[in-house]
Amino acid sequence: MIKIPADSDFSIHNIPFGIFSTANTSPRVGVAIGDFIIDLERLASFDAFGFDTEVFSKNTLNQFIGLGKAITRKVRTDIQGWLRDEHSVLGSSPDLFIAQQDATMHLPLQIGDYTDFYSSLDHATNVGKMFRDPENALLPNWKHMPVAYHGRASSIVVSGTDIHRPKGQVMKKGRGTPQVQPSERLDFELEMACVIGKENRLGHSISTAHAQDYIFGMVLFNDWSARDIQKWEYVPLGPFLGKNFASSISPWVVTIEALDAFRVKGYDQNPPVQEYLKFEGSHYYDINLEVSLAPENCRPTTVVRSNFRHMYWNMLQQIAHHTVSGCNLKVGDLLASGTISGPDQESFGSMLELSWGGTRSLILQEGGERTFIEDYDTVAMHGYGEQDGKRVGFGQVTTKILPVL
Ligand code: CA
């Protein structure tokens, strides 16, 4: 049986799903374990699963996820069982394991719709202080609903995909007219996103009590943002070109069941929330999050240390709010958390906050200093939970910025 390094994100407690290919195989469904990938199309050829395994030959996870939790959960627990048994199909067939370094990872989902929330209290407070009124940083609606906008699904790319700096209209200070130029304030946003695993019919809302059934899993999410373009365009309809040029996700979808061990209690929400946003139990997650920045040919510097538990609104509330109107969610939709910032400066989840609107520079270990992201910089996000020696991680979402086209 393969060896799994003790500090691996992809321990036996994880079993995340993704889409990979190799020089000899077309894109298909795999599971990450240690430094390897289990080829589920090949595993299925051993008659290991009791259902139509065509879904493992697809180039997205949508059809597999669409089989429903009764099946997807069983696939995960069956694989865990076989990994513990050297006489099992996995124990006796070493060629089912492919080294991750020999594989190419692909966008794991066909993402029909993508919604971006704004659910971190510290992030919303920081941005409100910078752009509006330091005394009244939060808008009046913020503590009454998880505010969001509908983002652009077509420009979501997988980790490892380079992105060109966007250009657009910018209104510079003291000028009467805007000018079209490459963004000078390119930024990342540290987020996580949940992958919807079940559809609700149009007109039917999802309650917080049932919302968990609609979450298949989670990925790391980098919501690339051009702050100068965003600032000029965002009133009154919200983000558009400042956001739609690209977002990046990690390739492995970690199931919500694998994150169970990391549940924690969140904020006491005050003022009390509307009835449809009330929930019971612990629905926040203790997931360590880090962002590093590396100029070309330089070692990376960790610039953010944060945690997913800093959210004010949780995913159950986001789903209940998204559908209270009767809006339908579909399998493969992504609901991103919004920038995750904690209370300390080190935990701020964007350069906008770290450099406080570009007024102070971050000194890097190598490669100078930064207020925003420069050409050929590589930004990498990493996330993992760790509890009682059990580690469940997401790997990385890594992106290099290329000059404007
Ligand atoms: Ca965002």
Side-chain angles (χ1 to χ4, degrees):
M1 194 73 81
I2 56 153
K3 282 220 157 31
I4 304 168
D7 62 346
S8 177
D9 280 353
F10 308 123
S11 69
I12 197 166
H13 310 290
N14 192 345
I15 315 294
F17 295 87
I19 299 292
F20 77 100
S21 64
T22 66
N24 309 315
T25 58
S26 55
R28 58 188 58 190
V29 177
V31 153
I33 184 78
D35 298 327
F36 293 88
I37 297 171
I38 303 171
D39 181 339
L40 292 200
E41 186 186 282
R42 288 216 56 205
L43 180 58
S45 71
F46 286 72
D47 249 354
F49 303 107
F51 59 91
D52 178 8
T53 50
E54 242 327 84
V55 293
F56 294 137
S57 307
K58 306 291 181 190
N59 62 3
T60 69
L61 295 174
N62 293 55
Q63 276 167 289
F64 169 61
I65 295 171
L67 294 174
K69 271 192 193 275
I71 291 178
T72 58
R73 270 186 191 159
K74 185 169 185 306
V75 168
R76 179 168 166 269
T77 51
D78 280 352
I79 290 172
Q80 285 174 322
W82 296 329
L83 283 168
R84 290 185 173 111
D85 175 6
E86 60 184 33
H87 303 297
S88 72
V89 57
L90 281 178
S92 53
S93 310
D95 57 339
L96 288 171
F97 296 88
I98 291 141
Q100 285 184 25
Q101 61 188 23
D102 296 335
T104 302
M105 296 307 298
H106 301 269
L107 192 68
L109 303 157
Q110 187 188 350
I111 303 163
D113 274 302
Y114 145 56
T115 303
D116 195 18
F117 283 88
Y118 189 54
S119 290
S120 152
L121 178 62
D122 289 291
H123 174 68
T125 304
N126 287 339
V127 172
K129 277 184 190 168
M130 266 184 270
F131 287 130
R132 288 181 295 271
D133 177 3
E135 301 302 315
N136 293 293
L138 291 180
L139 288 168
N141 59 8
W142 200 90
K143 283 192 168 176
H144 293 283
M145 64 170 85
V147 173
Y149 68 96
H150 285 122
R152 184 77 188 165
S154 67
S155 56
I156 298 175
V157 296
V158 73
S159 176
T161 309
D162 296 342
I163 287 169
H164 287 277
R165 179 177 298 274
K167 57 179 180 288
Q169 281 198 30
V170 171
M171 177 64 105
K172 292 214 165 182
K173 254 194 186 140
R175 298 261 183 109
T177 50
Q179 59 193 75
V180 180
Q181 61 167 70
S183 171
E184 291 173 352
R185 296 193 150 209
L186 182 59
D187 200 356
F188 61 78
E189 287 189 339
L190 169 61
E191 305 195 18
M192 298 195 69
C194 77
V195 176
I196 296 299
K198 183 177 166 182
E199 193 168 327
N200 63 309
R201 279 188 299 142
L202 191 63
H204 293 251
S205 310
I206 301 169
S207 68
T208 54
H210 291 114
Q212 172 100 5
D213 296 342
Y214 290 78
I215 304 173
F216 173 73
M218 298 199 74
V219 291
L220 299 172
F221 194 93
N222 182 350
D223 180 25
W224 289 102
S225 302
R227 300 300 180 194
D228 39 7
I229 297 171
Q230 182 184 0
K231 193 175 182 191
W232 170 231
E233 75 175 358
Y234 87 106
V235 178
L237 287 187
F240 186 37
L241 300 163
K243 300 278 189 177
N244 73 2
F245 56 95
S247 311
S248 306
I249 64 171
S250 52
W252 293 106
V253 183
V254 175
T255 64
I256 198 71
E257 291 78 22
L259 299 172
D260 251 353
F262 311 108
R263 285 164 178 267
V264 287
K265 284 216 176 301
Y267 279 90
D268 281 329
Q269 294 178 331
N270 193 19
V273 298
Q274 299 286 335
E275 199 57 36
Y276 77 96
L277 293 171
K278 289 183 179 157
F279 65 96
E280 285 179 10
S282 301
H283 295 288
Y284 297 78
Y285 292 86
D286 180 5
I287 298 170
N288 301 294
L289 298 168
E290 290 179 358
V291 184
S292 71
L293 202 168
E296 182 86 322
N297 299 321
C298 293
R299 278 180 302 154
T301 301
T302 300
V303 293
V304 185
R305 284 187 181 84
S306 188
N307 195 298
F308 188 44
R309 68 187 301 165
H310 293 314
M311 304 306 294
Y312 186 84
W313 298 102
N314 63 47
M315 292 184 283
L316 307 188
Q317 294 178 307
Q318 290 171 338
I319 288 172
H321 185 62
H322 203 306
T323 61
V324 70
S325 62
C327 175
N328 54 337
L329 299 178
K330 294 201 165 181
V331 171
D333 285 359
L334 275 191
L335 270 51
S337 58
T339 308
I340 302 159
S341 292
D344 312 318
Q345 182 169 344
E346 186 185 55
S347 61
F348 292 176
S350 64
M351 291 300 285
L352 177 72
E353 294 161 272
L354 291 165
S355 73
W356 207 254
T359 60
R360 59 189 181 213
S361 292
L362 254 73
I363 311 296
L364 304 179
Q365 270 191 76
E366 263 187 27
E369 50 188 63
R370 291 287 182 278
T371 48
F372 290 96
I373 303 302
E374 296 189 5
D375 289 347
Y376 303 106
D377 283 356
T378 296
V379 173
M381 296 178 176
H382 178 212
Y384 63 95
E386 207 158 29
Q387 189 81 34
D388 305 327
K390 293 181 183 173
R391 184 171 167 126
V392 172
F394 289 79
Q396 286 199 335
V397 52
T398 302
T399 317
K400 187 185 214 177
I401 294 298
L402 300 179
V404 70
L405 276 177

